[in-house]
């Protein structure tokens, strides 16, 4: 035997208030929606919705199509039926309502709803009163109404009187209904104006722009950098996008004000634009986009997806037009919102051309566009992180090698995409080790004379896995430069992983490391630097004994002249100090062995500095 579901209305109302609607304030939007739908069903001409807040009650009057007594029983007392529009034979998209639960939202603020209605299609022309209660009961009886239409009366429940207060009702009516195509009057004050301001007629473009700027200030509180008209006919969408006048982070919530058939859906709708378009705030009215059941966001479907793509294309075309007609304004925009444009350039060739031509990047020759950099520096290079650029830009520039900082968000990807628009692009990623090929070499006689020093210096750094090279390069103020190739960094990472791995993975990583061609980092000593030249003049003697470090650091007050092994110990300390300084200046990570060498060289050189040859043992 089939039986009907029994619905607990209090449970349904609780579900609506806690899980469907974000706030009980939506009750007025739903009442206005029903009133506008009733007017639409009657033809829409001369439609008026009047809201009154007298005697602690809220009354919403409309001169719409109204309901017969049979329709009252079938439509007002049935939860989930898609309202009277389908019953009356009208197409769904002509109406604001979609789910047939709007009237229930009134139970969020009232325990009792009274509806007095008179149908414009009834032959008898008699009015009907329907009274619903939050506990699930309703009653129907005769009513009094002179003209067709409907009046909804709410009696606030305890604790909800503020939501039905005159000031609150007027505020909600302005927020939800200011663009409605019917006349909306609240306590004798007209709320609706001349429709969407972006569709109004203006004497000239300047007057229109001033009006839209004022509209943006009223809604969002800022003066827009620019205003972009939006239109997607298949979605029945029109509106404007206001370009933010200050930078925002890409993670900022880009929420927009969306109207559906000129009824406010919500002020913070997300997903209307592509994620990269975080630099605008939109106000749009759409006729064909579908709302969710709560009417507080948009339903994700193919139409919304195509609308999002179309709006993104219109923002892109605005940037292209700006590059062609007002380059100075484009530069100002790029300074504010370069991250959004960079994100577009990752997959759009037109945006990539704009970035290439107009957006300044950090280079070793100062800020300049990529197009300008390529003209000035044939065969230029780029780095993939900021620290590497800062470490090498001065040295690179001194050798005539142009360098671009690709370490900021999207920069490396953009540089690597340049061949898509310019096949002749020759920017390559910098391998730091290749800079040594641009350094000057010493003349043969000098290099021959310094071979004993270089041998001693190499012994000082052998256990640190570093090769010592002596070159002549700018700037002269830099005594030494630590350079490591990508292969060397890879080997270092493998060695570090081996130290942390178990025996099985240690063997695997060891085999991988053995298969890689050995490539050691280099400490490049700058012979052009006065301090480095003085260090190279230290005359090494015989190879130091095993405890030379102790001899070099523990001789203060010995009273004896420095021996040849001690001189070699001084070379070791000096070279290791230059090694440590190069690591620090280059912001390289310090291993435990590096830290130990840095401390030892500092203390050892301090010992040499305070040594008193006249002291007695």
């Amino acid at each position: 035997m089939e039986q009907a579901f029994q619905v607990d209305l209090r449970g349904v109302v609780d579900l609506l208030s806690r899980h469907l609607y974000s706030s009980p304030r939506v009750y007025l939007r739903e009442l206005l929606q029903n009133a506008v739908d009733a007017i639409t069903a009657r033809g829409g001409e001369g439609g008026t919705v009047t809201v009154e807040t007298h005697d602690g009650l809220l009354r919403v009057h409309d001169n719409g199509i109204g309901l017969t007594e049979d329709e009252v029983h079938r439509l007002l007392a049935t939860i989930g039926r898609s309202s009277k529009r389908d019953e009356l034979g009208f197409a769904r998209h002509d109406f604001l309502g979609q789910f047939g639960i709007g009237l229930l939202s009134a139970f969020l603020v009232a325990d009792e709803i009274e509806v007095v209605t008179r149908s414009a299609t009834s032959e008898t022309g008699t009015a009907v009163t329907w009274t619903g209660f939050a506990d699930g009961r309703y009653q129907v009886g005769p009513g009094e109404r002179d003209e067709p239409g409907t009046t909804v009366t709410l009696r606030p429940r305890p604790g909800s009187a503020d939501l039905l207060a005159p000031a609150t009702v007027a505020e909600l009516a302005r927020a939800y209904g200011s663009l409605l195509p019917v006349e909306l009057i609240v306590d004798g004050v007209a709320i609706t104006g001349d429709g969407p301001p972006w569709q109004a007629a203006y004497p000239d473009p300047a007057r229109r722009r001033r009006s839209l700027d004022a509209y943006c200030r009223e809604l969002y509180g800022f003066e827009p950098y620019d205003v972009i008209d939006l239109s997607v006919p298949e979605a029945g969408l029109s509106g404007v996008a206001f370009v933010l006048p200050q930078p925002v982070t890409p993670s900022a919530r880009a929420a927009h004000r969306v109207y559906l058939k000129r009824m406010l859906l919500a002020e913070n709708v997300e997903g209307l634009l592509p994620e990269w378009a975080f630099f605008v705030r939109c106000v749009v009215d759409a006729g064909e986009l579908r709302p969710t059941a709560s009417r507080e966001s948009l339903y994700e479907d193919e139409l919304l997806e195509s609308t999002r793509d179309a709006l993104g294309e219109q923002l892109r075309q605005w940037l292209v037009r700006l590059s062609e007609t007002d380059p100075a304004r484009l530069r100002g925009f790029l300074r504010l919102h370069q991250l959004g444009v960079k994100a577009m350039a990752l997959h759009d060739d037109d945006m990539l051309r704009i970035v290439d031509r107009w957006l300044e990047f950090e280079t070793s020759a100062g800020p300049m566009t990529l197009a300008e950099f390529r003209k000035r520096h044939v065969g230029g290079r780029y780095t993939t992180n900021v620290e590497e650029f800062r470490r090498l830009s001065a040295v690179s520039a001194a050798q005539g090698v142009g360098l671009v900082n690709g370490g900021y968000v999207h920069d490396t990807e953009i540089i690597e995409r340049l061949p898509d628009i310019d096949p002749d692009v020759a920017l390559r990623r910098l391998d730091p080790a290749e800079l040594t090929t641009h350094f000057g070499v010493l003349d043969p006689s000098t290099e021959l004379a310094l071979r004993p020093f270089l041998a001693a210096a190499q012994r000082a750094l052998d256990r640190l896995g570093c090769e010592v090279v002596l070159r002549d390069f700018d700037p002269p103020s830099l005594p030494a430069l630590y350079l490591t190739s990508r292969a060397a960094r890879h080997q270092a990472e493998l060695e570090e992983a081996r130290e942390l791995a178990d025996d099985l993975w240690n063997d695997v990583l060891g085999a991988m490391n053995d298969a890689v061609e050995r490539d050691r980092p280099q400490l490049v000593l700058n012979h052009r630097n006065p301090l480095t030249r003085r260090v190279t003049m230290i005359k090494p003697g015989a190879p130091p004994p095993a405890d030379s470090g102790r001899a070099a650091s523990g001789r203060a007050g010995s009273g004896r002249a420095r021996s040849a092994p001690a001189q070699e110990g001084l070379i070791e300390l000096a070279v290791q100090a230059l090694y440590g300084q190069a690591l620090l200046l280059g912001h390289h990570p310090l291993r435990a062995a590096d830290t130990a060498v840095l401390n030892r060289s500092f203390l050892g050189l301090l010992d040499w500095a305070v040594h008193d040859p006249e002291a007695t043992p």
Side-chain angles (χ1 to χ4, degrees), residues 334-347:
L334 291 176
R335 284 193 293 270
L336 290 173
H337 302 297
Q338 57 176 285
L339 284 179
V341 178
K342 286 180 181 179
M344 286 189 283
L346 296 182
H347 54 78

Side-chain angles (χ1 to χ4, degrees), residues 93-252:
H93 66 76
D94 288 336
F95 294 85
L96 299 174
Q98 297 287 321
F99 299 97
I101 56 177
L103 188 61
L104 290 180
S105 66
F107 283 122
L108 299 176
V109 297
D111 285 327
E112 180 181 327
I113 305 173
E114 179 186 87
V115 178
V116 179
T117 182
R118 178 178 173 181
S119 174
T121 62
S122 172
E123 296 181 358
T124 61
T126 56
V128 180
T129 298
W130 176 92
T131 305
F133 303 93
D135 59 8
R137 297 176 295 111
Y138 77 92
Q139 58 189 30
V140 177
E144 296 184 3
R145 186 177 175 89
D146 296 334
E147 299 293 335
T150 301
T151 297
V152 178
T153 302
L154 302 185
R155 293 173 173 81
R157 65 157 58 105
S160 297
D162 289 345
L163 291 170
L164 277 69
T168 303
V169 171
E171 175 194 349
L172 295 176
R174 279 192 295 270
Y176 289 118
S178 60
L179 300 186
L180 285 174
V182 301
E183 185 179 15
L184 174 60
I185 300 173
V186 178
D187 289 335
V189 178
I191 298 297
T192 48
D194 298 326
W198 59 88
Q199 294 179 350
Y202 298 91
D204 54 69
R207 190 81 57 87
R208 181 177 188 268
R209 175 58 189 271
R210 288 196 297 272
S211 176
L212 291 176
D213 285 352
Y215 184 57
C216 180
R217 289 194 300 271
E218 178 185 351
L219 291 182
Y220 293 119
F222 64 80
E223 186 87 14
Y225 184 83
D226 208 345
V227 180
I228 307 168
D229 285 299
L230 304 174
S231 177
V232 185
E234 60 267 28
L237 183 146
S238 68
V240 286
F242 298 114
V243 181
L244 293 168
Q246 68 278 332
V248 291
T249 62
S251 59

Side-chain angles (χ1 to χ4, degrees), residues 2 31 107 137 141 205 260 267-268 291 300 310 339 359 363 443 453 468 477 543 558 584 596 603:
E2 293 185 356
L31 294 180
F107 283 122
R137 297 176 295 111
L260 293 185
E267 298 175 319
N268 55 352
E300 190 69 41
L339 284 179
L359 185 61
T363 79
D443 63 82
F453 165 80
V468 180
S477 59
S558 66
L584 294 175
L603 294 175

Side-chain angles (χ1 to χ4, degrees), residues 399-513:
Q399 316 315 311
V401 178
L403 195 61
V404 179
N405 185 358
Y408 295 113
V409 177
H410 302 318
D411 284 5
T412 292
E413 294 92 333
I414 287 172
I415 293 171
E416 293 174 348
R417 272 208 72 218
L418 288 176
D420 294 345
I421 60 171
D422 184 357
D424 297 328
V425 169
L427 290 182
R428 292 191 294 110
R429 181 177 174 182
L430 176 72
D431 191 331
E434 74 178 274
L435 281 178
T436 57
T437 63
H438 297 271
F439 294 161
V441 296
L442 306 185
D443 63 82
S445 60
T446 303
E447 186 172 4
L448 182 62
L450 293 178
R451 278 185 180 178
F453 165 80
L454 286 174
Q458 186 60 61
R459 287 192 293 272
L461 295 187
D462 266 340
R463 61 192 179 88
L464 297 172
C466 185
E467 180 182 356
V468 180
V469 179
L470 188 60
R471 292 290 186 268
D472 193 346
F473 60 90
D474 288 323
S477 59
L478 187 66
L481 181 66
Y482 180 85
L483 295 177
T484 178
S485 66
R486 288 194 290 272
R489 286 197 296 268
H490 177 63
Q491 291 166 13
E493 290 170 357
L494 281 177
E495 290 293 344
E496 184 178 355
R498 288 185 65 184
E499 293 177 3
L500 301 175
D502 56 26
D503 292 341
L504 174 61
W505 282 108
N506 190 291
D507 292 341
V508 172
L509 293 173
M512 293 174 59
N513 201 22

Side-chain angles (χ1 to χ4, degrees), residues 14-77:
D14 181 69
L15 178 66
L16 294 179
S17 62
R18 294 179 182 273
H19 302 289
L20 184 61
Y21 297 120
S22 62
S23 167
R25 292 163 64 90
V26 299
Y27 80 91
L28 187 62
R29 182 193 65 191
E30 300 299 324
L31 294 180
L32 294 178
Q33 169 192 296
N34 288 344
V36 174
D37 280 350
I39 292 171
T40 302
R42 191 174 180 182
E45 295 295 331
T48 301
V49 179
T50 303
V51 181
E52 298 176 347
T53 59
H54 303 311
D55 305 324
L57 303 178
L58 175 74
R59 293 184 176 87
V60 179
H61 310 276
D62 70 68
N63 57 353
I65 195 168
L67 298 174
T68 65
E69 181 174 351
D70 180 61
E71 290 168 345
V72 164
H73 282 284
R74 288 188 293 112
L75 302 178
L76 295 187

